[in-house]
Amino acid sequence: MVPLVLVVDDSITVRRVPQRLLQREGYRVALAADGLQALQRLREERPVVVLSDIEMPRMDGFDLARAIRADERLADLPIIMITSRMAEKHKEHAVALGVSHYLGKPYSDEVLLGLVQRYAEMEQVAAQG
């Protein structure tokens, strides 16, 4: 089965960049414009990883992370926060909420692909076990 990645960002342009990169590498990609839309997508299908911005309308990335960690079905779902907010307090807050990885913008495609690949492989191993 082809791994699914959920990309959550209020900017269509910012969603398209990782979408193209990941699709080129053979991943399926679902898109959401904010945390509420992301939760709707997560009810439909569980991805191997969520890539989320912090600052979004309706529900931001912190609230999304909180909602994912509070859901028994999704509690262990890897979350990669991708943001321009690089202050230590934001990073510490994200880690406290259970975010798996905190990437600053601009990020390197190689770093992002490496992380996604690692989480996809972990999911595959878990599915076999």
Side-chain angles (χ1 to χ4, degrees), residues 62-129:
F62 290 141
D63 287 339
L64 173 61
R66 203 176 281 113
I68 288 172
R69 292 295 171 248
D71 184 326
E72 277 182 11
R73 229 173 28 87
L74 304 171
D76 61 342
L77 180 63
I79 304 169
I80 299 174
M81 203 66 66
I82 301 177
T83 179
S84 50
R85 300 187 79 164
M86 288 312 292
E88 203 52 42
K89 67 175 184 182
H90 294 115
K91 188 173 185 173
E92 286 169 8
H93 187 54
V95 169
L97 289 173
V99 167
S100 319
H101 209 90
Y102 198 88
L103 272 186
K105 291 177 186 170
Y107 56 86
S108 120
D109 289 352
E110 290 75 33
V111 169
L112 182 64
L113 280 173
L115 287 167
V116 169
Q117 188 175 359
R118 191 170 84 208
Y119 291 125
E121 286 167 1
M122 284 165 53
E123 184 73 21
Q124 201 175 13
V125 168
Q128 290 166 354

Coordinates of all heavy atoms in Angstrom, one line a residue, residues 62-129:
F62 N -0.9 23.9 16.9 CA -0.8 23.5 18.3 C -2.1 22.8 18.7 O -2.1 21.7 19.4 CB -0.6 24.6 19.2 CG 0.8 25.2 19.1 CD1 1.0 26.6 19.2 CD2 1.9 24.4 18.9 CE1 2.3 27.1 19.1 CE2 3.2 24.9 18.8 CZ 3.4 26.3 18.9
D63 N -3.3 23.4 18.4 CA -4.6 22.7 18.7 C -4.8 21.4 18.0 O -5.3 20.5 18.5 CB -5.7 23.7 18.5 CG -5.8 24.8 19.5 OD1 -5.2 24.7 20.6 OD2 -6.4 25.9 19.2
L64 N -4.3 21.4 16.7 CA -4.4 20.1 16.0 C -3.6 19.0 16.7 O -4.0 17.9 16.8 CB -3.9 20.4 14.5 CG -3.8 19.1 13.7 CD1 -5.1 18.4 13.5 CD2 -3.2 19.4 12.3
A65 N -2.3 19.4 17.0 CA -1.5 18.4 17.7 C -2.1 17.9 19.0 O -2.2 16.7 19.3 CB -0.1 19.0 18.0
R66 N -2.7 18.8 19.8 CA -3.4 18.5 21.0 C -4.6 17.5 20.7 O -4.8 16.5 21.4 CB -4.0 19.8 21.6 CG -4.2 19.7 23.1 CD -4.6 21.1 23.7 NE -3.5 22.0 23.9 CZ -3.3 23.1 23.3 NH1 -4.1 23.5 22.4 NH2 -2.2 23.9 23.5
A67 N -5.4 17.8 19.7 CA -6.5 17.0 19.3 C -6.1 15.6 18.9 O -6.7 14.6 19.2 CB -7.3 17.6 18.2
I68 N -5.0 15.5 18.1 CA -4.5 14.2 17.6 C -4.0 13.4 18.8 O -4.3 12.2 18.9 CB -3.3 14.4 16.6 CG1 -3.9 14.9 15.3 CG2 -2.5 13.1 16.4 CD1 -2.8 15.3 14.3
R69 N -3.2 14.0 19.7 CA -2.7 13.3 20.9 C -3.8 12.8 21.9 O -3.7 11.8 22.6 CB -1.7 14.1 21.7 CG -0.4 14.3 20.9 CD 0.4 13.1 20.7 NE 1.5 13.2 19.8 CZ 1.6 12.7 18.5 NH1 0.6 12.0 18.1 NH2 2.6 12.9 17.8
A70 N -5.0 13.5 21.8 CA -6.1 13.2 22.7 C -7.0 12.1 22.1 O -7.8 11.5 22.8 CB -6.9 14.4 23.0
D71 N -6.8 11.8 20.9 CA -7.6 10.7 20.2 C -6.8 9.4 20.3 O -5.7 9.2 19.7 CB -7.8 11.1 18.7 CG -8.7 10.2 17.9 OD1 -8.6 9.0 18.2 OD2 -9.4 10.7 17.0
E72 N -7.5 8.4 20.9 CA -6.8 7.1 21.1 C -6.3 6.5 19.8 O -5.2 5.9 19.8 CB -7.8 6.1 21.8 CG -7.9 6.2 23.2 CD -8.9 5.2 23.8 OE1 -9.3 4.3 23.1 OE2 -9.2 5.3 25.0
R73 N -7.1 6.6 18.8 CA -6.8 6.1 17.5 C -5.6 6.7 16.8 O -4.9 6.1 16.1 CB -8.0 6.3 16.5 CG -8.5 5.1 15.8 CD -9.8 5.5 15.1 NE -10.0 6.9 14.7 CZ -9.5 7.4 13.5 NH1 -8.9 6.7 12.7 NH2 -9.7 8.7 13.3
L74 N -5.3 8.0 17.2 CA -4.3 8.7 16.5 C -3.1 9.1 17.4 O -2.2 9.8 17.0 CB -4.9 10.0 15.9 CG -6.0 9.9 14.9 CD1 -6.6 11.2 14.6 CD2 -5.6 9.2 13.7
A75 N -3.2 8.8 18.7 CA -2.3 9.3 19.7 C -0.8 9.1 19.3 O 0.0 9.9 19.7 CB -2.6 8.6 21.1
D76 N -0.5 8.0 18.6 CA 0.9 7.7 18.3 C 1.3 8.2 16.9 O 2.4 7.9 16.4 CB 1.2 6.2 18.4 CG 0.3 5.4 17.4 OD1 -0.7 5.9 16.9 OD2 0.7 4.2 17.2
L77 N 0.4 8.9 16.2 CA 0.6 9.4 14.8 C 1.7 10.4 14.8 O 1.7 11.4 15.5 CB -0.7 10.0 14.3 CG -0.6 10.6 12.9 CD1 -0.4 9.5 11.8 CD2 -2.0 11.3 12.5
P78 N 2.8 10.2 14.0 CA 3.9 11.2 13.9 C 3.4 12.6 13.4 O 2.7 12.6 12.4 CB 4.9 10.6 13.0 CG 4.6 9.1 13.0 CD 3.1 9.1 13.2
I79 N 3.8 13.6 14.0 CA 3.5 15.0 13.6 C 4.8 15.8 13.4 O 5.6 15.8 14.3 CB 2.7 15.8 14.6 CG1 1.4 15.0 15.0 CG2 2.3 17.2 14.1 CD1 0.7 15.6 16.2
I80 N 5.0 16.3 12.2 CA 6.1 17.2 11.9 C 5.6 18.6 11.7 O 4.7 18.8 10.9 CB 6.8 16.8 10.6 CG1 7.4 15.3 10.7 CG2 8.0 17.7 10.3 CD1 8.0 14.8 9.4
M81 N 6.0 19.5 12.6 CA 5.6 20.9 12.6 C 6.5 21.6 11.7 O 7.8 21.5 11.8 CB 5.7 21.4 14.0 CG 4.9 22.5 14.4 SD 3.1 22.5 14.5 CE 2.4 21.6 15.6
I82 N 6.0 22.3 10.7 CA 6.8 23.0 9.7 C 6.4 24.5 9.9 O 5.3 24.9 9.6 CB 6.7 22.6 8.3 CG1 7.0 21.1 8.2 CG2 7.5 23.4 7.3 CD1 6.8 20.5 6.8
T83 N 7.3 25.4 10.3 CA 6.9 26.7 10.7 C 8.1 27.7 10.5 O 9.2 27.3 10.6 CB 6.4 26.7 12.1 OG1 6.0 28.1 12.4 CG2 7.4 26.3 13.1
S84 N 7.7 29.0 10.4 CA 8.7 30.0 10.4 C 9.0 30.5 11.8 O 9.8 31.3 12.0 CB 8.2 31.2 9.5 OG 6.9 31.5 9.8
R85 N 8.2 30.0 12.7 CA 8.3 30.5 14.1 C 9.4 29.6 14.8 O 9.1 28.5 15.2 CB 7.0 30.4 14.9 CG 5.9 31.2 14.2 CD 4.7 31.3 15.0 NE 4.8 32.2 16.1 CZ 3.8 32.6 16.8 NH1 2.6 32.3 16.5 NH2 3.9 33.5 17.8
M86 N 10.6 30.2 14.9 CA 11.7 29.4 15.4 C 12.1 29.8 16.8 O 13.2 29.3 17.3 CB 12.9 29.5 14.4 CG 12.7 28.8 13.1 SD 12.1 27.1 13.3 CE 13.5 26.3 14.0
A87 N 11.3 30.6 17.5 CA 11.6 30.9 18.9 C 11.6 29.6 19.7 O 10.8 28.7 19.5 CB 10.6 31.9 19.4
E88 N 12.5 29.5 20.7 CA 12.6 28.3 21.5 C 11.3 28.0 22.2 O 10.9 26.9 22.4 CB 13.7 28.6 22.6 CG 14.3 27.3 23.1 CD 14.8 26.3 22.1 OE1 15.4 26.6 21.1 OE2 14.5 25.1 22.3
K89 N 10.5 29.1 22.6 CA 9.3 28.9 23.4 C 8.3 28.1 22.5 O 7.5 27.3 23.0 CB 8.7 30.2 23.9 CG 8.2 31.1 22.8 CD 7.6 32.4 23.4 CE 7.0 33.2 22.3 NZ 6.4 34.5 22.7
H90 N 8.2 28.4 21.2 CA 7.3 27.7 20.3 C 7.7 26.2 20.1 O 6.9 25.4 20.2 CB 7.3 28.4 18.9 CG 6.7 29.7 18.9 ND1 7.4 30.9 18.6 CD2 5.5 30.2 19.2 CE1 6.7 31.9 18.8 NE2 5.5 31.5 19.1
K91 N 9.0 26.0 20.0 CA 9.5 24.7 19.8 C 9.2 23.9 21.1 O 8.8 22.7 21.0 CB 11.0 24.7 19.6 CG 11.6 23.4 19.2 CD 13.1 23.5 18.8 CE 13.6 22.1 18.3 NZ 14.9 22.2 17.8
E92 N 9.5 24.5 22.3 CA 9.2 23.8 23.6 C 7.8 23.5 23.7 O 7.4 22.4 24.2 CB 9.7 24.6 24.7 CG 11.2 24.7 24.8 CD 11.8 25.7 25.8 OE1 10.9 26.4 26.5 OE2 13.0 25.9 25.9
H93 N 6.9 24.4 23.3 CA 5.5 24.2 23.4 C 5.0 23.0 22.5 O 4.3 22.1 22.9 CB 4.7 25.5 23.0 CG 3.2 25.4 23.2 ND1 2.7 25.1 24.4 CD2 2.2 25.6 22.3 CE1 1.3 25.1 24.3 NE2 1.0 25.4 23.0
A94 N 5.6 23.0 21.3 CA 5.3 21.9 20.3 C 5.7 20.5 20.9 O 5.0 19.5 20.9 CB 6.0 22.2 19.0
V95 N 6.9 20.5 21.4 CA 7.5 19.2 22.0 C 6.6 18.8 23.2 O 6.3 17.6 23.4 CB 8.9 19.4 22.4 CG1 9.4 18.2 23.3 CG2 9.8 19.6 21.2
A96 N 6.2 19.8 24.0 CA 5.3 19.5 25.2 C 4.0 18.9 24.7 O 3.4 18.0 25.4 CB 5.1 20.7 26.0
L97 N 3.5 19.3 23.6 CA 2.2 18.8 23.0 C 2.4 17.4 22.4 O 1.4 16.8 22.0 CB 1.6 19.7 22.0 CG 1.1 21.1 22.6 CD1 0.7 22.0 21.4 CD2 -0.1 20.8 23.5
G98 N 3.7 17.0 22.2 CA 3.9 15.7 21.6 C 4.2 15.7 20.1 O 4.1 14.6 19.5
V99 N 4.6 16.8 19.6 CA 5.0 16.9 18.2 C 6.3 16.1 18.1 O 7.3 16.2 18.9 CB 5.2 18.4 17.8 CG1 5.9 18.5 16.5 CG2 3.9 19.1 17.7
S100 N 6.4 15.3 17.0 CA 7.5 14.4 16.8 C 8.8 15.1 16.3 O 9.9 14.8 16.6 CB 7.2 13.3 15.8 OG 5.9 12.9 16.0
H101 N 8.6 16.2 15.5 CA 9.7 16.9 14.9 C 9.3 18.3 14.6 O 8.2 18.5 14.2 CB 10.1 16.1 13.6 CG 11.6 16.3 13.3 ND1 12.5 15.4 13.8 CD2 12.3 17.2 12.6 CE1 13.7 15.8 13.4 NE2 13.6 16.9 12.7
Y102 N 10.3 19.2 14.7 CA 10.0 20.7 14.5 C 10.9 21.2 13.5 O 12.2 21.2 13.7 CB 10.2 21.4 15.9 CG 9.6 22.7 16.0 CD1 8.3 22.9 16.4 CD2 10.4 23.9 15.7 CE1 7.7 24.2 16.5 CE2 9.8 25.2 15.8 CZ 8.5 25.3 16.2 OH 7.9 26.5 16.4
L103 N 10.4 21.5 12.3 CA 11.2 22.0 11.2 C 11.0 23.4 10.9 O 9.9 23.9 10.8 CB 10.8 21.2 9.9 CG 11.5 19.9 9.5 CD1 11.0 19.5 8.1 CD2 13.0 20.0 9.6
G104 N 12.1 24.2 10.7 CA 11.9 25.6 10.4 C 11.8 25.8 8.9 O 12.3 25.0 8.1
K105 N 11.1 26.9 8.5 CA 11.1 27.3 7.1 C 12.2 28.3 6.9 O 12.4 29.2 7.7 CB 9.7 28.0 6.8 CG 8.5 27.1 6.8 CD 7.3 27.9 6.5 CE 6.0 27.1 6.7 NZ 4.8 27.9 6.7
P106 N 12.9 28.2 5.8 CA 12.8 27.2 4.7 C 13.5 25.9 5.2 O 14.5 26.0 6.0 CB 13.5 27.8 3.5 CG 14.5 28.7 4.2 CD 13.9 29.2 5.4
Y107 N 13.0 24.8 4.8 CA 13.6 23.5 5.2 C 14.2 22.8 4.0 O 13.9 23.2 2.9 CB 12.5 22.6 5.8 CG 11.3 22.3 4.9 CD1 11.4 21.3 4.0 CD2 10.2 23.1 5.0 CE1 10.3 21.1 3.1 CE2 9.1 22.9 4.2 CZ 9.2 21.9 3.2 OH 8.1 21.7 2.4
S108 N 15.0 21.9 4.2 CA 15.6 21.2 3.1 C 14.7 20.0 2.7 O 14.2 19.3 3.5 CB 17.0 20.7 3.4 OG 17.2 19.3 3.4
D109 N 14.5 19.8 1.3 CA 13.7 18.7 0.8 C 14.3 17.4 1.3 O 13.5 16.5 1.7 CB 13.7 18.7 -0.7 CG 12.9 19.9 -1.3 OD1 12.2 20.6 -0.5 OD2 13.0 20.1 -2.5
E110 N 15.6 17.3 1.4 CA 16.2 16.0 1.8 C 15.9 15.7 3.2 O 15.6 14.5 3.5 CB 17.8 16.1 1.6 CG 18.3 16.1 0.2 CD 18.1 17.5 -0.5 OE1 18.1 18.5 0.2 OE2 17.9 17.5 -1.7
V111 N 15.9 16.7 4.1 CA 15.6 16.5 5.5 C 14.1 16.0 5.6 O 13.8 15.1 6.3 CB 15.8 17.8 6.3 CG1 15.2 17.6 7.7 CG2 17.3 18.0 6.4
L112 N 13.2 16.7 4.9 CA 11.8 16.4 5.0 C 11.6 15.0 4.5 O 10.9 14.2 5.1 CB 11.0 17.4 4.2 CG 9.4 17.1 4.2 CD1 8.9 17.3 5.7 CD2 8.7 18.1 3.3
L113 N 12.1 14.7 3.3 CA 12.0 13.3 2.7 C 12.5 12.2 3.6 O 11.9 11.2 3.8 CB 12.6 13.2 1.4 CG 11.9 13.8 0.2 CD1 12.7 13.8 -1.1 CD2 10.6 13.1 -0.1
G114 N 13.6 12.5 4.2 CA 14.2 11.6 5.2 C 13.3 11.3 6.3 O 13.1 10.1 6.7
L115 N 12.7 12.3 6.9 CA 11.8 12.1 8.0 C 10.6 11.3 7.6 O 10.1 10.4 8.3 CB 11.4 13.5 8.6 CG 12.4 14.3 9.4 CD1 12.0 15.7 9.6 CD2 12.7 13.6 10.7
V116 N 10.0 11.8 6.5 CA 8.7 11.1 6.0 C 9.0 9.6 5.7 O 8.3 8.7 6.1 CB 8.2 11.8 4.7 CG1 7.1 10.9 4.1 CG2 7.6 13.2 5.1
Q117 N 10.2 9.3 5.1 CA 10.6 8.0 4.8 C 10.7 7.2 6.1 O 10.3 6.0 6.2 CB 11.9 8.0 4.0 CG 12.3 6.6 3.5 CD 13.5 6.7 2.6 OE1 14.1 7.8 2.3 NE2 13.9 5.6 2.1
R118 N 11.4 7.8 7.1 CA 11.6 7.1 8.3 C 10.2 6.7 9.0 O 10.0 5.6 9.4 CB 12.4 7.9 9.3 CG 12.9 7.2 10.5 CD 13.9 8.0 11.3 NE 13.2 8.9 12.2 CZ 13.6 10.1 12.6 NH1 14.8 10.5 12.2 NH2 12.9 10.8 13.4
Y119 N 9.3 7.7 9.0 CA 8.0 7.4 9.6 C 7.2 6.4 8.8 O 6.5 5.5 9.3 CB 7.2 8.7 9.8 CG 7.8 9.6 10.9 CD1 8.1 10.9 10.6 CD2 8.0 9.1 12.1 CE1 8.7 11.7 11.6 CE2 8.6 9.9 13.1 CZ 8.9 11.2 12.8 OH 9.5 12.0 13.8
A120 N 7.3 6.4 7.5 CA 6.6 5.5 6.6 C 7.2 4.0 6.8 O 6.4 3.1 6.9 CB 6.8 5.8 5.1
E121 N 8.5 3.9 7.0 CA 9.1 2.6 7.3 C 8.6 2.1 8.7 O 8.4 0.9 8.8 CB 10.6 2.7 7.2 CG 11.1 2.8 5.8 CD 12.6 3.2 5.7 OE1 13.2 3.4 6.7 OE2 13.1 3.4 4.6
M122 N 8.6 3.0 9.7 CA 8.1 2.6 11.0 C 6.7 2.1 11.0 O 6.4 1.1 11.6 CB 8.2 3.8 12.0 CG 9.7 4.1 12.4 SD 9.9 5.7 13.2 CE 8.7 5.7 14.5
E123 N 5.9 2.7 10.2 CA 4.5 2.3 10.0 C 4.4 1.0 9.4 O 3.6 0.1 9.8 CB 3.7 3.4 9.2 CG 2.2 3.2 9.0 CD 1.4 3.4 10.3 OE1 1.9 4.2 11.2 OE2 0.3 2.9 10.4
Q124 N 5.2 0.7 8.4 CA 5.2 -0.5 7.7 C 5.6 -1.7 8.6 O 5.0 -2.7 8.6 CB 6.2 -0.4 6.5 CG 6.0 -1.5 5.4 CD 6.9 -1.2 4.2 OE1 7.9 -0.5 4.3 NE2 6.7 -1.9 3.1
V125 N 6.7 -1.4 9.4 CA 7.1 -2.4 10.4 C 6.0 -2.7 11.4 O 5.7 -3.9 11.7 CB 8.4 -1.9 11.1 CG1 8.7 -2.8 12.3 CG2 9.6 -1.9 10.1
A126 N 5.3 -1.7 11.9 CA 4.2 -1.8 12.8 C 3.1 -2.6 12.2 O 2.5 -3.5 12.9 CB 3.8 -0.4 13.3
A127 N 2.8 -2.4 11.0 CA 1.7 -3.1 10.3 C 2.0 -4.6 10.1 O 1.1 -5.4 10.2 CB 1.4 -2.4 8.9
Q128 N 3.3 -4.9 9.9 CA 3.7 -6.3 9.8 C 3.7 -7.0 11.1 O 3.4 -8.2 11.2 CB 5.1 -6.4 9.1 CG 5.0 -6.0 7.6 CD 6.4 -5.7 7.1 OE1 7.4 -5.8 7.8 NE2 6.5 -5.5 5.8
G129 N 4.1 -6.3 12.1 CA 4.2 -6.9 13.5 C 2.9 -7.2 14.1 O 2.7 -8.1 14.8

